[in-house]
Amino acid sequence: MQSDTTSATPALELSRVVKSFGAVVALRSGSLRLHDGSIHALIGENGAGKSTLVKIIAGLYRRDGGEFRLRGEEVDFHSTAQSKANGIAVIYQEPTLFPDLSVVENIFMGRQPTGRLGRIDRAAMRAEATEIFDRLGVSIDPDRPTDGLSIADQQIIEIAKAISLDASVLVMDEPTAALSGVEVDRLFSVARSLRDEGRALVFISHRFDEVFDLCDTVTVMRDGAHVDTMPIAETTVDDMVRMMVGRDVTEMFPKLPAEIGEEVLAVDGLTQPGVFHDVSFTVHAGEIVGLAGLVGAGRSEVARAVFGVDPYREGTVHVGGAPLPKGRPRAAMARGLALVPEDRRRQGLVLDLPVTRNITLAVRDRLARFGLIWGSRENESARVWASRLEVKTAALDTESGTLSGGNQQKVVLGKWLATDPKVLIVDEPTRGIDVGTKAEVHRLLSQLAQQGIAILMISSELPEVLGMADRVLVMREGRLTGEFKREQATPEAVMLAATADEEPAR
Amino acid sequence: SGGDDAGSDGGDAGGGGSEEAASITFLPKSLGNPYFDTSNAGGADAVEELGGTFEEVGPSEASPTSQVSFIETAAQQGVDALVVSANDPEAICDALNEARDVGVAVVTFDSDTNPECRDLFVNQATAEGIAQAQVDLITEQIDDSGQIAILSASANATNQNAWIELMEAELDANHPDVELVEVAYGDDDDQTSFDKTAALLQTYPELEGIVSPTTVGIAAAARYLSTSEYQGEVALTGLGTPNQMREYVEDGTVEAFALWNPADLGYLSAYAANALATGEISGEAGDTFEAGELGSYEVDEEGTVLLGDPFVFDADNIGDFDF
Amino acid sequence: MTTTATTPTHPVLAGLGRLIRARETGIAIAIVAVVTLATVLNPSFLFSNDGFRDLLLTPSLLMVVAIGQAIVIITRNVDLSVGSVVGLTAYLTGTLFVQVPGLPIVVVFVAGIALGAVLGLINGALVAFAKVPALVITLGTMYIYRGINVAWTGSDRINASDMPAAFRGLGTDTVLGLPVLTLLAVVVLVYAAWHLRNLRSGRELYAIGSDPAAAQLYGLRVTRRILAAFVVSGSAAGLAGVLYAARYGTVSSNAGFGWELEAIGAAVIGGVAIFGGVGTVWGAALGAFLLLTINRALPIIGVDDFWQRAVVGVLIIGAIVLDRIAAQRQHRRLVAQREETR
Amino acid sequence: MTATTEAAAPRTYAAHAQPLWRRVLVTREASIIGLLLAVIAVAMATVPNFDSPLTVTYLLRETAPILLIALPMTLIIITAEIDLSVASVLGLASVVTGLGVQAGWPLPVAMVVAVLVGATAGAINGALVTVVGLPSLAVTIGTLALFRGIAVGLLGTTAISDFPETWTDLARTNIPGTPVPVVIIAFAVLALGFAVLLHFTPFGRSLYAIGLNKEAAAFSGIDVGRSKFWLFVMSGTVAGFAGVYFTLLYNNARGDNAIGMELQIIAAVLLGGVSIFGGRGALHGVIAGVLLIGTLGSALRLAGVTSDIINVLTGLLLVLSVVSASALSWVHQRRVAALGRRRGRSPGTSS
Ligand SMILES: Nc1ncnc2c1ncn2[C@@H]1O[C@H](COP(=O)(O)OP(=O)(O)OP(=O)(O)O)[C@@H](O)[C@H]1O
Ligand SMILES: Nc1ncnc2c1ncn2[C@@H]1O[C@H](COP(=O)(O)OP(=O)(O)OP(=O)(O)O)[C@@H](O)[C@H]1O
Ligand SMILES: [Mg+2]
Ligand SMILES: [Mg+2]
């Protein structure tokens, strides 16, 4: 698979790179050595410093120390334009598109082909974009604005952008986090063909199956430092996990038995035209109900409609036997509903507020005495939840935006657990979270169920759903297409319900 | 800006100082208006003759409420006299009265406030005289028949409104064939007046003449007319300064217009203010005072001092004036 | 799944469709309607020499300012200082003629535009380098520039007679029946529109306004572009200042007072989104045209002078409500397009 | 088996990264208050007549409308919106008061109606922003023209100035025994109310969250639309009240009252440390900001400085205040980066 190039000059080499943000040391000693014609996996826990390393390569951050060589030459990028000019393309963890501009313009912005007088050659630009889309096997209207595209389509455009750059080094920071199986496959075949053209690729993912499927070499990071680099063929999942966390873990925390009580949440005939249709289900106290399906099946929308942030046209929601008014999150919260949304940076957290204020945001009414609220009470309440969930932060008044993904997720969980919910809806609770934290989240959910909380867990990861849920619901294209007891829920059965006529993903 | 050595050190004791000299502050409707420039220059001359201290302050746009803070500052500084041209008869009243309470003599000039808010009003010409002069000028130029319009300053200018009212009465009474079609307001702003002139001409294709009883308005209207197809067709008159109008009188856009000498107005106002501040007069009807080279003046009813009759400028005499 | 139908339409048809749906078309129609109505009520509104000339002349200055303003707004910034820049450059123009008799007119134009550019550069530098919000900075410089203007002018003013007749003639002269000032404004407009549409630097302004953070990640030269946008806006205001002196002849310290809100209003009416990334200078220029033409037509239509501002307010609100509806419809359409292809 | 249990030592979480004195003293608000005190001290020492009680009276009387409207404006800007129409609402309320009195209503009735008109105007802004979902900057530029146009249209050329003297005197009198105008009582009550609302209630907390991330706020059960709507209503109401006060103070109802004041108010609020992007700011800073601009103007006028220079200084202050904040954070970042580099050279000395 991989031509032996270890002796040749690496395409790109970072050694003992240091980067800190204020008191936070994001990278203590980051090292990475890339070779042409290779796909290199970069793995590590949340906050291990992967994205920071990527951003240094991209020229977005400047390193505080260490070495950075490109084809043997020492470089120090001041801007992303410089790294681009040197043939480095980066797909960032979050898609970064201009919503008002067309797909084509997004791909070529800043380096459009020009003709006489510097006039942009729109026809050439369009032709090249069409060609790239053909190669990727997708058909996206190149003239439409990117506003309104699904996350998967946005990711495809990011990839098209990188390809059009004709870069010799391509870095992809968790490109698959929002993609479905089919899309992942397509992306992988493109990545392989790029490798075969002799380019160097970096692939970051928390999914080990993908890493094994695609990559030839893997670098593991922990706590901002390089741990080890080895050929993928010479390692196992267990080895990698041990290196990542520095101890043995299993990805899945075993579900604890819980006593299933009376029905707490009852959703009946919920319909929002074009989004979801006739969705009915119940969740009992102490029960974890998994909601499976492909990305884009409309599960998040159902959750949001139940909680009241989104509207729905028909149907009813009952909590504890009494009907819940539509579109009123406050009323839902008052009745003991909590929603941990899927996009924690946009929906879950106010990134610029300190951890404290985020944790108490949903319980601010409850913390008030005679309508007045005091900072000391908030701090007290936040401290309780931060330590219970072991949020890794130096002080509670640090801005939550500076925490790593996993710790941010813990803050969101803490925020909703603080409301002492009867029904907890968690949407992709472990998306983009490392194995260690993932197991912690699972343990937490299990414990909560034991305490009698009704849990609805939306997840795109089948093992998680099958491992955690007492009952599994499956959605496809806005409809409930299957319901399985824990014992009946086999991967095959669930996948079939989720895809029906489509080929099963993953 | 205008105020030269503004070292208003004196005047902690408001009113009668040991010497005859007084500190006098001029507050025009707004700064940046050549009419007030001229009148304030006259005031400054007078204050210099008197050996007092002159200061000129004012807002950059002509609004009544913005004058108030300058009145208050004058009161705080304890100046001996304040000479004001009011943007509104009522809005600055209370502030003026407060200033008088702390011993500032208040003289209004050019545009009056309510009589109870000031000690003296120096009137450039009687309203009747001004209205009469303008009606005479315009009716003569349009052969006493046809449509005319008025281009005034701001809708609230006391003096403008008084004149317009009298002009309307005079037109009704003695000029039945002349129709006043509209009173437009240029806000004493050059650009607005210019655009309003254009609008008037377009709205009333039959228009024969425009009267603009404000120096800003007449200059803007003349400038528009001079470059338009209406030059020489539509008559224009009103109140203007010779320097601004010279060009248009010479090129035939304007036949004749009227004004008093603003420098004299400022000069007289300064003397009146000084007389009040030094206790020479109290503002009662019948008081008399000397106003330097202008001679002797008497206060008449309602505490008014009259400068004289308006003067008509035309191609024959405009060369004799420079202000 | 990741597909979106490409409805194959003939490019010419598609272009035509876009033209018909375009915001600019709507405004142009509104202008025609207003002019028609006013002309029916009073034929001299259009069919007299002065009428036609003024119809084109009056909006020209605001058009130039609105073009600059639109460019700044497209980058998700705003320039509140344009009115003050107009005032300063107009006064500079007059002063130059007074101080240096016989100065060629071209030099005065260059000087006015250069002063505007410098003032814009100050705004741009503060916004781009100090990374502070444009609204705050230009609110500050609006006061500063106006204050400097008043301090400089004092109670002085430039009178028409201070400027050479040839220069003032520019304010009213026509070429082939079209006023010179309007032609100048149109040249500026056509160039700006071409540049924004066809050059990289123009497109990057849209990208920056659409998502500043993404623009940074892209490695676009955000700082330089924003700086340039402010310089352009300043220069446009500077040009408008020179034209102001030519058109109005008299320049006092409050020339251009309040133009900032009119220019923003014109851009908003013209479909330039206040949060950047969307809109054209055509729209802004037409917006300015509509705004001032309505002002002039109202008295003829029989609406009292005093209600003018209210009508302008209704116009602005109507325009943004319309934008909103159109945007929502488009968003729904795009999402539906995606749904369809699942 | 259990995932992360290595006898998890009880962690303590410091609530604050910085010591108390730093958090209190090294703030934007503190520096504005400090600057205000410095200006007052310098003016006392150098400007003749500045130390007279009249200064206080005049200053507070004239800045009262700005002080009043700055209160709701602060809350609005904290939610990342803006209300440019306040001065027009003030003018409209002034006209309504005048027309009411002219129509023979008792003044208190006219006043109440004027305040209600203000509230309605605010509700219109609020509805356009929250129900229709338009950007407030554009909406209120529109209503700035609309409300002013209605005010000027209603009253036309005239000004109304026959208000009962008992009321106009009330607007001008001081609290007995002090140089402080009575309107400051109304302001103090409102300021206290707004300060409590913003800084010590759950509603206030939600405003900051809305300003920083309205989607996350909505997901936290905050009714973003309703909160903003009521803020605009408050702003309209207070502007209406300020309009009544303005009318009585100058005994003058006119369509163009307080024209252009919106920018003065916003300048003061921003000077007081409120971020135009929302989510940051405090009321004490804003009040200090308004007073700073007012005091500076008053002292300079007394010292014979002309209004244009005062404008220049106001603008400079505003620009410098934001630029200095950004410069400070730049310096801070540089220091931190330097620290990081030093750490980088001697590895192994981290957390
Ligand atoms: N701009 C920043 N300011 C302060 N701290 C930061 C910043 N960016 C990253 N960090 C911190 O640096 C550390 C490494 O973050 P980084 O995003 O590189 O992790 P990661 O490995 O990409 O994690 P994930 O898998 O969650 O994406 C974290 O502790 C994070 O909180
Ligand atoms: N940020 C977004 N922008 C545009 N479209 C989106 C976005 N997020 C979701 N969608 C689209 O909305 C529809 C429903 O997606 P949604 O995320 O609710 O599905 P889901 O089943 O919850 O998937 P997930 O596994 O991602 O939670 C899909 O068509 C999806 O592509
Ligand atoms: Mg990352
Ligand atoms: Mg989802």
Side-chain angles (χ1 to χ4, degrees):
Chain A
M1 206 173 192
Q2 181 200 9
S3 56
D4 189 15
T5 46
T6 31
S7 52
T9 334
L12 181 149
E13 185 177 17
L14 293 146
S15 58
R16 293 190 301 283
V17 169
V18 182
K19 175 78 196 173
S20 41
F21 299 97
V24 185
V25 184
L27 267 185
R28 270 192 303 140
S29 170
S31 299
L32 182 69
R33 182 187 298 212
L34 285 188
H35 290 280
D36 287 328
S38 144
I39 302 180
H40 195 120
L42 183 59
I43 61 171
E45 282 186 292
N46 292 120
K50 304 180 295 292
S51 299
T52 307
L53 196 71
V54 167
K55 287 175 181 167
I56 287 172
I57 297 175
L60 196 66
Y61 294 158
R62 284 182 72 184
R63 61 186 194 279
D64 300 331
E67 283 163 34
F68 180 3
R69 287 175 208 283
L70 193 66
R71 310 210 170 276
E73 302 274 315
E74 179 85 19
V75 287
D76 186 14
F77 296 142
H78 296 234
S79 75
T80 52
Q82 280 180 328
S83 73
K84 262 189 201 171
N86 280 287
I88 299 176
V90 175
I91 299 175
Y92 298 96
Q93 197 162 359
E94 304 87 21
T96 50
L97 297 177
F98 304 114
D100 304 306
L101 301 187
S102 73
V103 170
V104 183
E105 287 211 88
N106 262 288
I107 294 176
F108 293 98
M109 181 52 66
R111 48 194 181 79
Q112 297 95 333
T114 52
R116 277 191 314 127
L117 299 174
R119 185 170 198 264
I120 293 171
D121 187 345
R122 281 170 199 273
M125 205 159 83
R126 202 171 181 283
E128 199 181 332
T130 318
E131 193 190 305
I132 295 171
F133 286 145
D134 284 349
R135 181 165 161 202
L136 289 174
V138 296
S139 74
I140 297 175
D141 177 359
D143 295 322
R144 65 165 281 164
T146 54
D147 181 31
L149 283 176
S150 68
I151 293 187
D153 282 351
Q154 293 180 26
Q155 201 62 258
I156 296 285
I157 292 172
E158 293 284 351
I159 292 163
K161 217 155 73 181
I163 292 175
S164 80
L165 250 178
D166 197 27
S168 58
V169 175
L170 174 59
V171 184
M172 300 184 281
D173 193 352
E174 299 197 34
T176 56
L179 298 192
S180 72
V182 197
E183 291 154 345
V184 170
D185 289 345
R186 206 173 284 147
L187 171 66
F188 282 9
S189 69
V190 173
R192 287 189 189 103
S193 76
L194 290 174
R195 177 199 59 200
D196 295 342
E197 290 169 15
R199 300 170 211 268
L201 284 80
V202 178
F203 177 74
I204 299 176
S205 174
H206 288 287
R207 297 178 186 161
F208 294 113
D209 51 345
E210 293 177 354
V211 169
F212 276 96
D213 191 9
L214 182 67
C215 307
D216 42 54
T217 318
V218 57
T219 290
V220 183
M221 291 183 69
R222 184 174 71 229
D223 287 341
H226 175 260
V227 177
D228 201 359
T229 302
M230 63 225 130
I232 208 91
E234 293 169 19
T235 182
T236 64
V237 174
D238 287 344
D239 290 341
M240 286 201 264
V241 168
R242 206 174 306 114
M243 280 187 269
M244 277 169 64
V245 256
R247 58 183 182 262
D248 282 312
V249 273
T250 49
E251 191 174 338
M252 191 58 66
F253 180 84
K255 178 169 169 27
L256 303 171
E259 195 177 319
I260 295 182
E262 62 197 27
E263 177 183 300
V264 188
L265 175 69
V267 173
D268 191 31
L270 217 58
T271 299
Q272 171 72 5
V275 186
F276 48 82
H277 302 273
D278 197 21
V279 174
S280 307
F281 62 88
T282 60
V283 186
H284 295 253
E287 187 185 29
I288 299 181
V289 174
L291 184 51
L294 298 183
V295 171
R299 298 162 301 170
S300 299
E301 273 78 355
V302 170
R304 293 210 293 261
V306 169
F307 187 64
V309 273
D310 276 5
Y312 56 90
R313 175 93 46 96
E314 280 158 40
T316 56
V317 177
H318 285 77
V319 177
L324 198 65
K326 279 188 202 184
R328 300 259 321 273
R330 275 183 95 98
M333 285 163 64
R335 303 281 293 285
L337 224 59
L339 169 65
V340 176
E342 73 182 316
D343 186 340
R344 63 176 163 266
R345 296 181 70 85
R346 274 176 36 202
Q347 303 164 338
L349 286 175
V350 181
L351 294 175
D352 292 317
L353 280 184
V355 173
T356 329
R357 292 286 165 89
N358 268 297
I359 293 183
T360 56
L361 191 57
V363 288
R364 57 192 198 289
D365 285 328
R366 228 175 287 173
L367 289 177
R369 281 257 174 82
F370 309 110
L372 301 183
I373 192 166
W374 298 95
S376 54
R377 266 176 79 85
E378 287 178 296
N379 290 348
E380 201 39 56
S381 161
R383 200 195 313 271
V384 170
W385 286 104
S387 39
R388 206 171 289 179
L389 296 177
E390 305 203 333
V391 177
K392 282 183 205 150
T393 172
L396 288 179
D397 65 350
T398 42
E399 287 183 4
S400 32
T402 62
L403 300 187
S404 78
N407 281 305
Q408 288 178 1
Q409 184 72 349
K410 285 185 191 168
V411 174
V412 185
L413 270 170
K415 163 179 164 182
W416 286 106
L417 293 182
T419 66
D420 190 16
K422 286 212 275 290
V423 182
L424 178 64
I425 306 176
V426 286
D427 195 351
E428 307 285 5
T430 61
R431 172 179 285 178
I433 281 187
D434 63 71
V435 275
T437 315
K438 204 167 185 172
E440 273 180 63
V441 170
H442 292 156
R443 176 173 53 99
L444 200 69
L445 291 176
S446 246
Q447 283 171 354
L448 291 170
Q450 272 191 320
Q451 290 161 20
I453 296 180
I455 296 177
L456 177 67
M457 183 180 79
I458 301 172
S459 173
S460 301
E461 288 188 43
L462 210 46
E464 179 168 272
V465 176
L466 300 182
M468 295 297 300
D470 294 300
R471 202 146 46 89
V472 179
L473 305 171
V474 185
M475 271 185 83
R476 170 166 51 88
E477 289 176 17
R479 290 171 199 280
L480 272 184
T481 51
E483 174 163 2
F484 305 92
K485 296 232 175 60
R486 186 177 172 84
E487 311 80 63
Q488 305 163 335
T490 62
E492 295 73 23
V494 172
M495 247 16 254
L496 189 67
T499 52
D501 38 16
E502 291 181 57
E503 79 266 45
R506 269 209 307 282
Chain B
S1 66
D4 37 353
D5 51 339
S8 73
D9 50 334
D12 32 303
S18 50
E19 331 141 82
E20 293 281 283
S23 58
I24 298 177
T25 295
F26 268 65
L27 175 57
K29 284 182 180 174
S30 68
L31 296 179
N33 181 328
Y35 170 82
F36 286 113
D37 228 13
T38 316
S39 67
N40 291 350
D45 287 347
V47 175
E48 197 181 329
E49 286 173 25
L50 290 162
T53 33
F54 171 86
E55 197 173 351
E56 177 191 2
V57 296
S60 41
E61 75 276 14
S63 95
T65 46
S66 56
Q67 275 185 319
V68 167
S69 53
F70 291 94
I71 298 169
E72 290 175 345
T73 304
Q76 276 168 279
Q77 289 169 331
V79 298
D80 297 318
L82 183 64
V83 180
V84 191
S85 172
N87 276 321
D88 184 282
E90 198 55 61
I92 62 169
C93 235
D94 290 325
L96 286 179
N97 276 331
E98 282 179 357
R100 291 165 78 200
D101 288 346
V102 296
V104 180
V106 172
V107 174
T108 54
F109 76 119
D110 177 64
S111 180
D112 197 10
T113 61
N114 289 346
E116 59 270 19
C117 325
R118 43 80 177 160
D119 296 308
L120 209 58
F121 171 47
V122 178
N123 197 355
Q124 54 272 48
T126 59
E128 290 80 8
I130 292 169
Q132 187 69 48
Q134 295 188 80
V135 170
D136 288 349
L137 280 170
I138 193 74
T139 51
E140 201 178 293
Q141 291 173 20
I142 64 171
D143 297 329
D144 210 6
S145 86
Q147 294 184 343
I148 63 165
I150 292 177
L151 176 65
S152 175
S154 77
N156 282 59
T158 327
N159 48 356
Q160 301 277 328
N161 288 343
W163 301 334
I164 291 168
E165 218 169 280
L166 289 166
M167 283 164 70
E168 283 171 340
E170 167 66 14
L171 286 169
D172 281 349
N174 297 325
H175 304 277
D177 295 334
V178 177
E179 183 197 357
L180 174 61
V181 289
E182 186 176 334
V183 179
Y185 298 92
D187 292 337
D188 259 353
D189 174 69
D190 198 74
Q191 183 204 337
T192 315
S193 307
F194 188 88
D195 291 338
K196 284 283 158 67
T197 309
L200 280 178
L201 291 169
Q202 224 154 68
T203 314
Y204 306 101
E206 307 283 303
L207 203 65
E208 292 282 338
I210 296 176
V211 184
S212 184
T214 155
T215 56
V216 177
I218 192 173
R223 215 171 50 254
Y224 182 83
L225 276 178
S226 70
T227 61
S228 83
E229 58 186 303
Y230 302 102
Q231 183 182 21
E233 301 284 312
V234 175
L236 172 66
T237 187
L239 305 176
T241 65
N243 280 357
Q244 275 183 301
M245 300 302 293
R246 191 172 331 266
E247 195 183 343
Y248 307 113
V249 172
E250 280 162 6
D251 73 8
T253 309
V254 175
E255 228 172 86
F257 62 96
L259 196 67
W260 47 92
N261 188 334
D264 287 350
L265 182 63
Y267 187 88
L268 174 58
S269 303
Y271 267 95
N274 186 61
L276 277 171
T278 53
E280 185 186 336
I281 57 170
S282 62
E284 300 295 314
D287 285 354
T288 58
F289 63 97
E290 287 296 320
E293 58 195 29
L294 289 180
S296 171
Y297 282 84
E298 185 180 332
V299 181
D300 57 20
E301 266 89 80
E302 298 194 319
T304 304
V305 177
L306 182 65
L307 179 66
D309 274 330
F311 182 85
V312 174
F313 301 88
D314 57 24
D316 296 333
N317 65 15
I318 195 163
D320 306 337
F321 297 90
D322 181 22
F323 66 86
Chain C
M1 186 121 173
T2 59
T3 55
T4 309
T6 340
T7 23
T9 34
H10 195 272
V12 174
L13 276 183
L16 201 68
R18 255 202 306 279
L19 187 69
I20 290 171
R21 277 195 308 272
R23 174 56 166 283
E24 292 78 15
T25 317
I27 304 169
I29 292 171
I31 293 173
V32 171
V34 169
V35 172
T36 310
L37 184 61
T39 310
V40 167
L41 291 171
N42 180 345
S44 74
F45 188 79
L46 189 58
F47 298 117
S48 69
N49 284 337
D50 281 4
F52 183 65
R53 190 190 69 188
D54 287 351
L55 177 71
L56 297 178
L57 256 184
T58 313
S60 300
L61 304 189
L62 186 61
M63 262 163 74
V64 174
V65 180
I67 290 167
Q69 184 70 259
I71 291 174
V72 170
I73 296 180
I74 283 171
T75 65
R76 199 180 283 193
N77 283 293
V78 72
D79 188 351
L80 288 177
S81 71
V82 284
S84 303
V85 175
V86 169
L88 262 178
T89 49
Y91 190 71
L92 173 79
T93 305
T95 312
L96 280 178
F97 281 124
V98 173
Q99 306 270 317
V100 195
L103 199 65
I105 290 174
V106 181
V107 174
V108 174
F109 266 87
V110 171
I113 295 173
L115 176 63
V118 168
L119 297 175
L121 184 71
I122 295 173
N123 288 332
L126 288 169
V127 172
F129 291 119
K131 304 250 182 312
V132 280
L135 189 94
V136 189
I137 287 299
T138 56
L139 181 58
T141 53
M142 176 190 101
Y143 282 117
I144 297 174
Y145 296 166
R146 180 65 66 189
I148 292 174
N149 190 0
V150 177
W152 183 18
T153 324
S155 56
D156 201 17
R157 75 160 65 191
I158 304 295
N159 287 316
S161 53
D162 298 336
M163 290 180 279
F167 177 70
R168 273 184 299 136
L170 282 179
T172 44
D173 284 350
T174 57
V175 174
L176 303 174
L178 298 173
V180 177
L181 287 195
T182 310
L183 289 176
L184 266 172
V186 169
V187 168
V188 172
L189 171 62
V190 168
Y191 178 73
W194 185 84
H195 190 125
L196 281 187
R197 180 165 164 75
N198 287 316
L199 295 192
R200 278 187 190 170
S201 50
R203 300 315 297 170
E204 285 178 17
L205 296 179
Y206 283 90
I208 291 165
S210 193
D211 189 340
Q216 200 83 50
L217 282 181
Y218 259 70
L220 301 186
R221 283 171 291 197
V222 178
T223 309
R224 185 192 295 195
R225 296 281 176 252
I226 289 179
L227 202 63
F230 276 98
V231 171
V232 168
S233 168
S235 314
L239 173 63
V242 179
L243 301 184
Y244 184 103
R247 164 104 173 112
Y248 293 107
T250 305
V251 183
S252 64
S253 59
N254 56 1
F257 192 82
W259 280 28
E260 56 280 341
L261 291 186
E262 285 200 43
I264 298 172
V268 166
I269 291 174
V272 178
I274 201 87
F275 286 130
V278 178
T280 65
V281 286
W282 288 109
L286 286 172
F289 201 106
L290 180 62
L291 205 69
L292 293 189
T293 304
I294 286 205
N295 265 353
R296 292 177 55 246
L298 283 181
I300 290 173
I301 294 171
V303 179
D304 198 338
D305 232 23
F306 300 117
W307 290 96
Q308 271 177 21
R309 256 184 290 209
V311 173
V312 170
V314 170
L315 207 66
I316 295 176
I317 294 167
I320 50 178
V321 169
L322 216 70
D323 269 349
R324 173 76 186 163
I325 294 171
Q328 262 175 345
R329 205 179 281 165
Q330 148 131 337
H331 187 83
R332 265 201 301 272
R333 194 170 51 81
L334 291 174
V335 170
Q337 223 176 45
R338 188 180 74 214
E339 301 278 300
E340 248 166 51
T341 55
R342 297 213 299 196
Chain D
M1 203 70 189
T2 39
T4 59
T5 43
E6 294 168 11
R11 279 168 198 256
T12 54
Y13 294 90
H16 300 290
Q18 308 249 314
L20 181 72
W21 66 269
R22 273 196 82 124
R23 275 181 287 128
V24 174
L25 285 182
V26 189
T27 60
R28 192 54 203 284
E29 287 75 26
S31 58
I32 292 294
I33 293 173
L35 196 56
L36 172 63
L37 295 178
V39 166
I40 292 175
V42 171
M44 286 281 205
T46 59
V47 179
N49 302 315
F50 183 82
D51 51 3
S52 89
L54 269 184
T55 310
V56 177
T57 309
Y58 288 157
L59 174 68
L60 291 179
R61 203 153 75 185
E62 269 174 56
T63 46
I66 298 183
L67 277 171
L68 286 167
I69 300 176
L71 298 173
M73 185 69 84
T74 303
L75 272 60
I76 287 185
I77 297 183
I78 282 177
T79 63
E81 301 288 345
I82 199 165
D83 186 353
L84 288 173
S85 72
V86 280
S88 297
V89 174
L90 192 160
L92 183 59
S94 171
V95 166
V96 169
T97 315
L99 286 177
V101 167
Q102 203 174 45
W105 302 349
L107 184 63
V109 174
M111 282 163 41
V112 170
V113 172
V115 173
L116 288 179
V117 166
T120 313
I124 292 173
N125 283 331
L128 284 168
V129 171
T130 61
V131 181
V132 189
L134 301 171
S136 55
L137 183 61
V139 165
T140 56
I141 283 181
T143 51
L144 165 96
L146 176 63
F147 297 148
R148 183 65 74 185
I150 296 175
V152 176
L154 281 177
L155 209 48
T157 70
T158 45
I160 296 168
S161 49
D162 35 352
F163 297 102
E165 213 160 280
T166 43
W167 286 93
T168 54
D169 284 351
L170 182 66
R172 307 183 72 81
T173 43
N174 292 339
I175 302 169
T178 69
V180 178
V182 285
V183 68
I184 293 303
I185 297 177
F187 167 72
V189 171
L190 271 178
L192 195 68
F194 273 102
V196 169
L197 186 66
L198 179 62
H199 296 300
F200 297 103
T201 65
F203 180 74
R205 291 285 190 272
S206 70
L207 298 183
Y208 286 95
I210 291 173
L212 291 169
N213 181 347
K214 60 174 189 264
E215 197 175 353
F219 272 87
S220 307
I222 295 166
D223 196 331
V224 177
R226 190 138 44 124
S227 306
K228 285 185 182 172
F229 177 82
W230 286 113
L231 290 186
F232 278 100
V233 173
M234 281 182 211
S235 163
T237 312
V238 173
F241 175 74
V244 171
Y245 166 72
F246 198 96
T247 310
L248 295 179
L249 178 65
Y250 296 114
N251 191 14
N252 195 283
R254 292 163 60 112
D256 60 357
N257 268 343
I259 207 158
M261 192 189 270
E262 62 277 344
L263 294 184
Q264 288 176 37
I265 295 167
I266 288 166
V269 170
L270 298 180
L271 183 63
V274 177
S275 160
I276 192 78
F277 296 134
R280 284 174 226 282
L283 266 183
H284 57 285
V286 169
I287 294 170
V290 179
L291 291 178
L292 177 59
I293 291 182
T295 311
L296 202 61
S298 156
L300 291 172
R301 264 201 308 272
L302 265 179
V305 175
T306 42
S307 59
D308 39 292
I309 304 295
I310 297 171
N311 270 351
V312 171
L313 283 175
T314 308
L316 274 180
L317 213 57
L318 186 58
V319 169
L320 286 181
S321 72
V322 283
V323 172
S324 68
S326 119
L328 280 180
S329 84
W330 185 76
V331 168
H332 179 73
Q333 266 168 17
R334 285 287 299 248
R335 273 212 347 243
V336 164
L339 201 75
R341 265 193 293 282
R342 237 175 294 133
R343 252 189 231 158
R345 276 195 293 276
S346 56
T349 56
S350 61
S351 60

